[in-house]
Amino acid sequence: MSPRVVQRLGRRLSSASLSLPLLSRVLIGSFGLSVLVAAAFALALLAMSDLRSSTNVQAHSKDVSTATLELERVVNDLESSLRYYFITGSPRFLSSWREARRSWPPALEAVERLVASQPAQAAQARQLGALTHSYVTEYGLPFIDIYKVSPDTARSADATREGARRISQIRQELTALLASEDNLASARAASAKREAAQAVSVGIAALVLAALLLLVFAVFLAHGVVRPVRLVAAGASRVAAGDLSTRLPEQGAAELHELTEAFNAMARSLEHGKRELEAQNEQLRQSERMKSELVSIVSHELRTPLAGILGYSSLLLKREFDEEDARRYLEVINAQGQRLSSLVEEFLDVERVESGRIELKEELFDLGPLLQDEARVIGAEAPKHRFDVSVGDRPLRVLGDPDRLAQVYANLLANAVKYSPEGGVIEVRGALHNGAVRIQVRDEGVGIPPEHQPRIFTKFFRAEARESGFAGTGLGLAVSRYIVEAHGGRIGFSSTPGAGSSFWFELPLAV
Ligand code: ADP
């Protein structure tokens, strides 16, 4: 079995028991493995015991041969002692014969006992017994008696032939028994060899099976337990290294599922906390930036008009001027006072917008005349600019606060004048556009660099205006956007640095 197959098997095993708790999975796996390994070893033991019994059978064969040869020896003793007795008449041979006569029944009995399980051999043993018995009783004993009376009769050729015939029959039977036992022995040896080979194969197979089962169990443990735990450890290291987006697949046994779920919940809450902290940090940074912007704007924007007011008023107090000069100085003081007042108004507007205290009137009116009037007022103060105002024939009717909407428009006009210091055309278009009233103010001024455009409606943001020497607070557009959006409208712009800007706002057409 290739390692990949074993792995796949392990994976299948572990996925089949996914819903089980880890403890049960390991217990069931260990129990199943023990049973299988025990079965494999039982198989091996069975094969070994077969081997032992075939060895026993071989030993039995040897016993049968030994007992048969012992019987043959006793028969030989019977024959030779009788023959020598008849030839010599020596009582020594007669007593040998008697000894052999006593020995053959137990020798035959031993053979009979050993071959009792083999019917053919048992019959042979019985035949041997009958032949030996008849040799002793029908030949040996009668001729011994005859010898005592007539030794020549006992030694006669007929008598000798009769003895030899009977002994030959017994020997034939003994040879047959030995041959059959030989056949049996070689058959048993062959089967013992086969069984031994089988036992070895079964033993090896059982050991290989046990080893494979252990391997499968190890893969199962590795896949079901070690791998998920390693995954969690790797995930924890990634989180510790700062990668809070780390998530683990929520799968595996019940305990591992719980572990990965808890891990993911922890990572989620850490990530959420980090994001909140980052947002708070950004807010803090932004309000810090705004604070310093506010300080520098207030100090810069308030100082200039205040210096003018203080300078000219102390001049008027200290010296006598003719009426014309005094009036000019008073007009400067008044203009700077106006500027201070509108600055304060802008700051108050922002404060109102942020606290949601800005109140908007709801009047139905035509924006057209307002566009004309406001352009005339501002145009009077901007000698270098030519105003081109077009509002069409149809009334630009909107529902809202005329003063606040005039404030938005005036802010766009004032910016158009302020940010085109070289003068040029300021084009105002009021028209109906896709069911809305669209007002557009275009100038031929300095324009806005693309990198600053996204923040142009942010409070206090002034792009490069301060560095370029333009007065202002960076609040006008922020307040304008709030007013337009509070009327259900939109405000936007397009700008090309060095070529000019085009600001617009749209309000729902009132019917
Ligand atoms: P302020 O004009 O007081 O600085 P605003 O909120 O009206 O504040 O404008 C924000 C910034 O947008 C300005 O500082 C300026 O950089 C830019 N800006 C506004 N209008 C124009 C314009 N017509 N042309 C060029 N830049 C403009």
Side-chain angles (χ1 to χ4, degrees):
M1 210 184 300
S2 75
R4 202 176 302 163
V5 175
V6 174
Q7 245 180 15
R8 221 177 302 147
L9 198 64
R11 216 172 296 143
R12 209 167 298 160
L13 268 175
S14 58
S15 66
S17 51
L18 276 184
S19 48
L20 285 176
L22 190 58
L23 186 65
S24 317
R25 286 167 65 183
V26 172
L27 283 179
I28 290 172
S30 313
F31 178 73
L33 182 67
S34 317
V35 168
L36 287 172
V37 169
F41 274 99
L43 218 62
L45 281 179
L46 216 65
M48 296 296 174
S49 80
D50 271 3
L51 188 62
R52 225 184 25 229
S53 69
S54 78
T55 317
N56 287 347
V57 168
Q58 270 180 307
H60 174 79
S61 245
K62 216 186 255 171
D63 290 349
V64 171
S65 299
T66 312
T68 311
L69 288 173
E70 173 62 18
L71 182 60
E72 190 176 26
R73 187 191 63 76
V74 174
V75 168
N76 284 342
D77 281 357
L78 275 175
E79 188 268 339
S80 61
S81 59
L82 198 59
R83 193 156 37 87
Y84 287 125
Y85 174 64
F86 287 159
I87 294 168
T88 64
S90 167
R92 188 164 58 90
F93 292 114
L94 186 61
S95 63
S96 292
W97 188 81
R98 286 201 183 107
E99 172 66 28
R101 198 188 138 203
R102 270 196 306 277
S103 301
W104 80 264
L108 177 72
E109 210 177 288
V111 172
E112 279 181 332
R113 205 176 46 247
L114 287 168
V115 300
S117 60
Q118 296 291 329
Q121 286 185 321
Q124 280 177 318
R126 268 195 309 280
Q127 176 67 6
L128 256 178
L131 286 173
T132 314
H133 182 71
S134 92
Y135 173 76
V136 170
T137 54
E138 290 169 19
Y139 174 76
L141 288 173
F143 275 92
I144 286 172
D145 288 341
I146 292 170
Y147 181 81
K148 283 177 186 159
V149 195
S150 167
D152 287 338
T153 312
R155 282 194 211 114
S156 72
D158 281 350
T160 308
R161 239 192 328 272
E162 175 62 16
R165 187 187 60 80
R166 285 177 182 268
I167 283 295
S168 159
Q169 273 184 340
I170 294 172
R171 282 198 179 122
Q172 269 174 21
E173 210 54 52
L174 279 166
T175 310
L177 182 61
L178 278 173
S180 82
E181 186 53 43
D182 245 19
N183 286 343
L184 267 179
S186 54
R188 279 170 188 154
S191 100
K193 205 169 158 193
R194 257 197 327 276
E195 278 168 10
Q198 255 173 18
V200 169
S201 319
V202 169
I204 290 175
L207 287 177
V208 169
L209 184 68
L212 278 179
L213 289 172
L214 277 171
L215 190 64
V216 168
F217 190 58
V219 171
F220 158 72
L221 277 184
H223 189 264
V225 183
V226 180
R227 201 168 142 259
V229 169
R230 279 221 186 111
L231 271 178
V232 174
S237 306
R238 281 204 302 279
V239 168
D243 180 6
L244 300 182
S245 64
T246 305
R247 297 288 181 276
L248 298 177
E250 291 178 7
Q251 59 189 33
E255 294 92 336
L256 292 171
H257 196 270
E258 271 174 36
L259 182 63
T260 48
E261 245 178 21
F263 179 93
N264 287 344
M266 175 197 76
R268 260 195 304 276
S269 104
L270 280 176
E271 197 181 20
H272 180 70
K274 186 183 168 204
R275 240 185 269 130
E276 271 190 351
L277 271 179
E278 277 171 356
Q280 280 173 7
N281 266 355
E282 183 50 37
Q283 266 178 2
L284 278 176
R285 267 198 298 273
Q286 210 168 330
S287 56
E288 197 54 36
R289 244 191 338 259
M290 282 185 179
K291 208 174 87 188
S292 54
E293 299 256 16
L294 175 69
V295 170
S296 77
I297 284 169
V298 168
S299 56
H300 183 265
E301 291 303 313
L302 294 186
R303 197 177 284 156
T304 319
L306 268 177
I309 291 171
L310 289 174
Y312 282 105
S313 54
S314 51
L315 211 61
L316 283 172
L317 286 172
K318 276 185 204 144
R319 279 179 41 197
E320 285 292 324
F321 291 98
D322 58 42
E323 198 176 326
E324 196 184 331
D325 282 345
R327 186 169 180 79
R328 215 158 24 91
Y329 293 157
L330 280 171
E331 272 169 5
V332 172
I333 290 171
N334 184 264
Q336 298 301 342
Q338 293 289 344
R339 192 170 157 196
L340 270 182
S341 157
S342 68
L343 275 176
V344 171
E345 206 48 47
E346 264 188 346
F347 286 123
L348 284 177
D349 271 352
V350 173
E351 202 278 323
R352 281 186 207 113
V353 162
E354 285 183 348
S355 61
R357 282 190 296 108
I358 197 157
E359 276 176 21
L360 296 174
K361 288 180 262 178
E362 275 204 5
E363 286 176 22
L364 198 59
F365 67 100
D366 184 359
L367 259 176
L370 189 147
L371 298 183
Q372 302 274 17
D373 295 348
E374 207 66 43
R376 214 169 294 126
V377 172
I378 290 180
E381 307 275 309
K384 284 200 227 164
H385 296 84
R386 188 168 70 77
F387 280 73
D388 171 9
V389 183
S390 151
V391 293
D393 304 330
R394 293 161 67 188
L396 307 174
R397 283 158 64 84
V398 293
L399 180 68
D401 190 325
D403 296 335
R404 288 298 181 183
L405 291 175
Q407 179 184 341
V408 172
Y409 173 58
N411 186 39
L412 296 188
L413 273 185
N415 279 351
V417 171
K418 180 162 66 175
Y419 296 109
S420 52
E422 305 297 323
V425 177
I426 291 179
E427 185 185 274
V428 177
R429 294 284 175 268
L432 297 182
H433 179 77
N434 289 342
V437 173
R438 183 182 170 95
I439 313 299
Q440 186 166 320
V441 178
R442 193 176 65 76
D443 63 59
E444 297 172 340
V446 294
I448 304 166
E451 66 272 23
H452 294 312
Q453 292 187 7
R455 295 186 57 206
I456 222 70
F457 289 98
T458 308
K459 180 171 80 161
F460 297 126
F461 183 73
R462 302 205 62 224
E464 291 162 358
R466 182 168 348 133
E467 292 75 14
S468 309
F470 295 109
T473 56
L475 294 176
L477 286 181
V479 174
S480 298
R481 180 165 74 172
Y482 174 82
I483 294 171
V484 171
E485 286 176 356
H487 280 82
R490 301 188 302 141
I491 186 166
F493 70 97
S494 59
S495 181
T496 311
S501 309
S502 176
F503 279 80
W504 55 265
F505 64 95
E506 282 179 1
L507 297 167
L509 175 68
V511 282

